């Protein structure tokens, strides 16, 4: 038996990701060693591949990339209880320090010392990965493995939608990529009366409607805002707006679209500072804005499981491609050219 | 008996306010006619006096200025019940339409058709003013008239502090003008464990400490932020930040000062767009931001009354000057030169 | 033109309701005179008919019965604006004093001086009724008149469901009468993942399943609780329980059925004191209990309108009978014998 | 070195507690071994001593009693990080399973498999105790050891007060034993405008006033309720009521005392079922009731620390006696006869 395994590595400070052999990780006393089955590729992975400004300022090669996965437990450390080899698991990629105010009050996702797999430490684009037992999540029978592989972004979408009540509300979503589309479906299942989407790409707009949006607007089209406003109660705007694009225009639109007294959840991460007329955008309107980071540990995970188990969320149309990990270059290329929504790499 | 009364008028589109004779207002069927006793001068009135960019875009002379007042009921319309001549009253200056979703669900302060006295219609800098009965507020015995005259800004401060729980929290206030100082005292009375203030003027910093702040920092001083951070739990920042300055630097500081998972209330109104690094300021930290406009109708008024009645708030040091309305030019001049905090004009 | 109209009167302290001629009500200055089209019969009306203990202690004949209605504006008082003859309206039957803390903070439904139409003052089982303009609600085109006639109980159901977030939750409803069935449909539309009902009558259990319940249990059946528990996450009980039966057994069941940390909303009104093991029912489990009275004024009304407008709620199966008001004895009889769910009386 | 230590044991199913020699506990891999310095005696310990109905149904001798303590770390298991011998610590006595929905979402205090020290497993009335590292709490310098010893009941009081906002509210407390008195002081520090106490014992009423209550009523005195009501806004009752007595009369009083729309927190544990008129007590008034169990893990602990560190809470008057553990019989006797509030046993 070898101690080596295949892995997708960010080897150094340059564009690209490399398929190479890496040491198989050990399994610490409180850790679970997972044999990876399937992984999802996320926008963060694209940034790391592209080695853009954000990546250069944030990550330190060499390391194994990836944070969306499903796998099977290969081994457990001596101090682990409640998990056994053979169980199918996914896991939370934010690893908190466990000792601080945030970690001890259920807010580990904003721990000041949080480490993210595939960013701050080795990730899941490999045959094996070790994870602290506190971060391991058992997959319930009946949840398809390719869906279990994307609990991480699904949890982002869930956290964003559930950050405020949406039942009986008119809800707008800015940006219909994978997470925006998930949010669309979650919001409908969570009782939003009407979901209105803004998205520049025609194909994603079509998908948003398929995922339950009443309408999807092209922000490049003159008059879209008036069309949108007409679809809200008394034309005053949406009760809740979810900003998932991270684009400057998207963020400005979000604050235009929300009604007085409404709520905005910000998940999309703008790469540059944003200039806002705060008086009009937030203050005079009495708007509430929430920054959303990661997933609630572990409320968001339970919510994902329950929504899926009750068959409210069919996410399969999102997964436009599945391919073996060896074809990762093709996968990254498809995503970079906007020709895929979510791609799953198979490791078995 | 004459039908004329003295009033401070914004007569036309130029700098200044004029003391002149104006028609005594009639008292509509559902209105209360109030003989004004005392009025407070607010920053908004200074903008109207100065005829700055905001004033030019917002108000339409001629009209009577002023929205902070206390007075005595002179007469009531036929349709009014529950009010009688001789009662001392103040009143809410935001007059909602009464018919829309906002007005019918207790959110009249953000009604789309709201009219503000002294801005959109005649105000209280006069011997008499009429107000719809729904907006009249009886002054409880034991509340000094000069304090009753400033329930409007006190209500702003109350709304800002009470927009999130502050008991047991470390709270920061940016800007120690009249409202910031009121917020300081309210926050302490409401159980904030520690109040930390940022304010450029030395005299206001001293007053903040007198009003209950643990410390007050000069943002022009190198190292103030580190000093501030040391005073927060584990150095991670304040649990709650109240932005009351409306200055660009103040707003940026507010987002630096709040801890991950913390809350920011924005009351100060910036006159220009603000450039923010939203990723760091709000999203990664998982911060909640609330825009604050006016007062809750009428929860904020009850809260002001109760805090005052239980003698928790001695606001008298705030009222640095009281003078007859004929000396209004002197009053505006003192305020413009920063030599006064709150000035009361007497109309009796 | 006569000044008389037909009306269903509680004439004196004895069993029964009388169809008689009554003076047509005047229309006060701030009132709206409504020509009644359709009315719904509620459990409260049955109590008044039966002249039971509750009725004897609560109401003072003679008065016109009824509080569920839709009609057309016949005339408006001089002080009324925003309403005009010919408009179709329903209305809130709780008339607050308008001056107290509760009325001025959006809690008029618990005003200490509230008067309820058809209970404390003349109601809607008549050709005409006057109502203060603040309590009148315009019916949106597209809402069927027989549904507009039952906005009152629909608002009770809405208030009960929306008193806590239900999206993504397992929800139990105790009692599947008209309001329980409405709650069933609302809860599903509001995102409850699973609705489980307890109801002794087989026909209502069947209707509950038709209205979206996953299962409906007969509390007389041995083992029903175990069946129910199996349908909740990890068998620990429902996240939210709505108690709408008002029966002693129902209330005890509600507290057995809720999970630790869960929420119970109490709408059903028990006619006798209830003996509860508070330690087990509420304290050790850390349960939150909310008493529900009437409707939020007017948040519940907007919610009803929006849920209906978006076609999420088809309430027609609830309305088992419609008949002219002259056949009211037959209607009361059907309801008393449990052979109807909701009966509409026509007044045109 | 011996493996024996002194301990206060519940040896068998009969009245009394025995001072005896017990095996010194081992220190598991993830555990911390604590050398006990001081312990507090709680009402639960009295029940165990008395071997009353509750004790007979709940606990299984033999075991070491006690759950309120402060001590010094003697040793740490191999898997422990962040704790070192010599550090002064207290600890949370509710030990959750760590794997269930409750434990993984910050609600470990209501875990279905929770074990409580001194009740379900060996407690702290001994020279040494082992505790899982997750339950250990470091004592900040500046907090007196006898206060650190009673963080457990202080956390109960904190959890009860902070279960709803109290700033600006009129608050009533039913029962002024040790926890009621702590709640009194916490409520004042947390911004309650007025605290009104009901307590049968004169000495405790006097202490309540000393701890910040505006007034303390003897429920045996005719007219006390009217006196109480007069002290609330408009005579409608308290905004928030904390029920800490657990007595039947106290619980009934709590629901009489709360205003419409108010909130009741139930911490006191009645030993028998309670008969309530739910319609009047909860439903018509629209009251919210919260069952309070244990402490929030670990929000309540941080709150206790912060309130104490800011010197808002001087708890020393509560600790009426301190004595060596050998005099435990005297201590239990004083408490049983109501001649002490809180007694600390010294183990050094």
């Amino acid at each position: 038996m070898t101690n080596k395994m295949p892995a997708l590595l960010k080897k150094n400070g340059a564009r690209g990701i490399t398929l190479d052999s890496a040491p198989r990780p050990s399994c610490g006393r409180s850790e679970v060693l997972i044999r990876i089955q399937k992984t999802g590729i996320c926008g963060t992975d694209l940034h790391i591949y592209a080695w853009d400004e954000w990546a250069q300022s944030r990550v330190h090669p060499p390391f194994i990339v990836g944070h969306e996965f499903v796998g099977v437990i290969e081994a457990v450390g001596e101090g682990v209880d409640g998990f056994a080899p053979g169980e199918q698991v996914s896991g939370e990629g934010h690893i908190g320090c466990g000792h601080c105010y945030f970690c001890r009050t259920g807010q580990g996702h904003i721990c000041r010392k949080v480490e993210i797999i595939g960013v701050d430490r080795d990730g899941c684009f490999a045959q094996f990965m070790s994870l602290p037992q506190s971060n391991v999540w058992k997959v319930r029978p009946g949840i398809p493995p390719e869906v279990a592989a994307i609990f991480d972004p699904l949890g982002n979408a869930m956290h964003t939608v559930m950050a405020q009540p949406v039942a009986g509300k008119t809800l707008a979503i800015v940006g219909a990529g994978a997470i925006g589309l998930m949010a669309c479906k979650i919001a409908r299942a969570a009782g939003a009366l009407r979901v209105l989407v803004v998205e520049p790409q025609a194909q994603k707009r079509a998908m948003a409607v398929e995922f339950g949006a009443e309408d999807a607007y092209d922000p490049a089209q003159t008059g879209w805002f008036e069309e949108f406003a007409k679809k809200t109660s008394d034309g005053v705007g949406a009760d809740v707006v979810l900003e998932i694009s991270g684009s400057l225009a998207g963020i400005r639109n979000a604050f235009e679209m929300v009604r007085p007294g409404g709520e905005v959840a910000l998940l999309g991460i703008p790469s540059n500072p944003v200039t806002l007329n705060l008086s009009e955008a937030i203050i005079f309107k009495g708007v509430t804005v929430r920054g959303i980071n990661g997933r609630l540990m572990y409320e968001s995970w339970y919510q994902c499981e329950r929504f899926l188990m009750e068959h409210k969320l069919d996410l399969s149309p999102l997964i436009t491609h599945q391919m073996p990990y060896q074809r990762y270059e093709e996968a990254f290329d498809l995503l970079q050219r906007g020709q895929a929504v979510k791609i799953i790499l198979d490791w078995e």
Side-chain angles (χ1 to χ4, degrees), chain A:
Chain A
M1 193 180 93
T2 172
N3 278 325
K4 291 291 188 177
M5 65 175 186
L8 293 177
L9 287 149
K10 185 71 186 179
K11 290 203 115 169
N12 45 44
R15 182 182 168 78
I17 282 177
T18 310
L19 173 56
D20 205 341
S21 173
R24 189 171 150 162
S26 61
C27 179
R29 190 172 295 285
S30 304
E31 288 187 329
V32 169
L33 180 69
I34 301 161
R35 178 185 291 265
I36 301 297
Q37 294 176 300
K38 291 173 187 293
T39 59
I41 303 177
C42 167
T44 301
D45 304 322
L46 294 184
H47 288 291
I48 291 171
Y49 188 104
W51 198 237
D52 63 13
E53 215 173 306
W54 173 84
Q56 290 175 38
S57 72
R58 181 68 168 80
V59 302
H60 305 285
F63 64 97
I64 300 171
V65 183
H67 56 273
E68 304 178 359
F69 71 95
V70 68
V72 167
I73 296 180
E74 180 80 8
V76 301
E78 291 169 46
V80 169
D81 61 348
F83 293 97
E87 293 178 328
Q88 195 180 44
V89 296
S90 180
E92 167 60 51
H94 280 55
I95 300 171
C97 76
H99 295 290
C100 70
Y101 169 74
F102 303 104
C103 286
R104 293 194 91 176
T105 57
Q107 306 174 73
H109 62 297
I110 50 172
C111 165
R112 291 297 77 191
K113 296 180 184 162
V114 76
E115 291 199 340
I116 304 178
I117 62 171
V119 174
D120 301 303
R121 50 188 276 170
D122 281 338
C124 64
F125 288 173
Q127 200 179 353
F128 292 99
M129 180 182 60
S130 283
L131 203 63
Q133 90 157 355
S134 61
N135 283 52
V136 180
W137 182 263
K138 287 188 198 177
V139 177
R140 286 246 178 156
I143 294 178
E146 64 275 13
V147 171
I150 55 173
F151 255 55
D152 174 296
L154 181 62
N156 287 137
M158 187 62 78
H159 187 186
T160 308
V161 174
M162 302 298 268
Q164 57 284 301
V166 303
K169 304 280 183 71
T170 298
L171 186 134
I173 297 176
V174 182
I179 294 182
L181 290 166
M182 288 167 174
C184 200
K185 199 154 261 194
I186 294 169
R188 290 291 289 170
L193 287 187
R194 203 170 263 196
V195 174
L196 303 166
V197 165
V198 186
E199 163 61 49
Q201 290 188 31
Q203 191 188 343
K204 288 180 179 171
R205 284 200 301 277
M207 216 155 160
V209 171
E210 198 186 311
F211 268 55
E214 163 100 5
D215 246 320
Y217 305 96
D218 179 357
Q221 194 93 33
T222 308
W224 75 269
F225 185 83
E226 289 67 28
E227 287 304 308
F228 155 79
K230 266 185 228 160
K231 292 274 189 165
T232 68
S233 298
D234 301 322
V236 294
D239 299 302
V240 173
V241 181
L242 312 182
E243 208 305 307
I244 307 189
S245 77
S247 76
L248 302 195
I251 290 170
R252 284 214 197 89
N253 284 338
F255 288 105
E256 290 275 334
M257 292 161 78
V258 70
R259 71 158 169 85
E263 297 169 286
V264 175
L266 299 176
L267 178 72
I269 297 171
S271 29
N272 293 299
V274 182
T275 301
L276 286 173
N277 182 338
L278 287 188
S279 303
E280 296 298 335
I282 298 180
I283 302 172
F284 291 137
K285 289 208 287 192
V287 163
T288 298
V289 184
R290 292 182 181 85
I292 308 293
N293 178 346
R295 292 148 298 283
L296 293 181
M297 291 149 76
Y298 286 84
E299 185 67 28
S300 301
W301 287 81
Y302 282 101
Q303 290 170 332
C304 289
E305 181 180 282
R306 289 174 185 181
F307 274 86
L308 286 168
M309 291 301 289
E310 294 296 313
H311 306 297
K312 291 237 176 168
L313 305 181
D314 173 14
L315 301 179
S316 52
L318 274 181
I319 300 169
T320 50
H321 303 74
Q322 294 204 48
M323 53 185 73
Y325 69 89
Q326 292 88 344
R327 285 168 56 197
Y328 75 98
E329 288 284 15
E330 179 187 342
F332 275 83
D333 188 56
L334 281 165
L335 286 163
Q336 272 152 359
R337 286 189 291 115
Q339 295 181 357
V341 179
K342 179 59 73 181
I343 302 183
I344 300 290
L345 298 180
D346 283 306
W347 291 82
E348 293 182 311

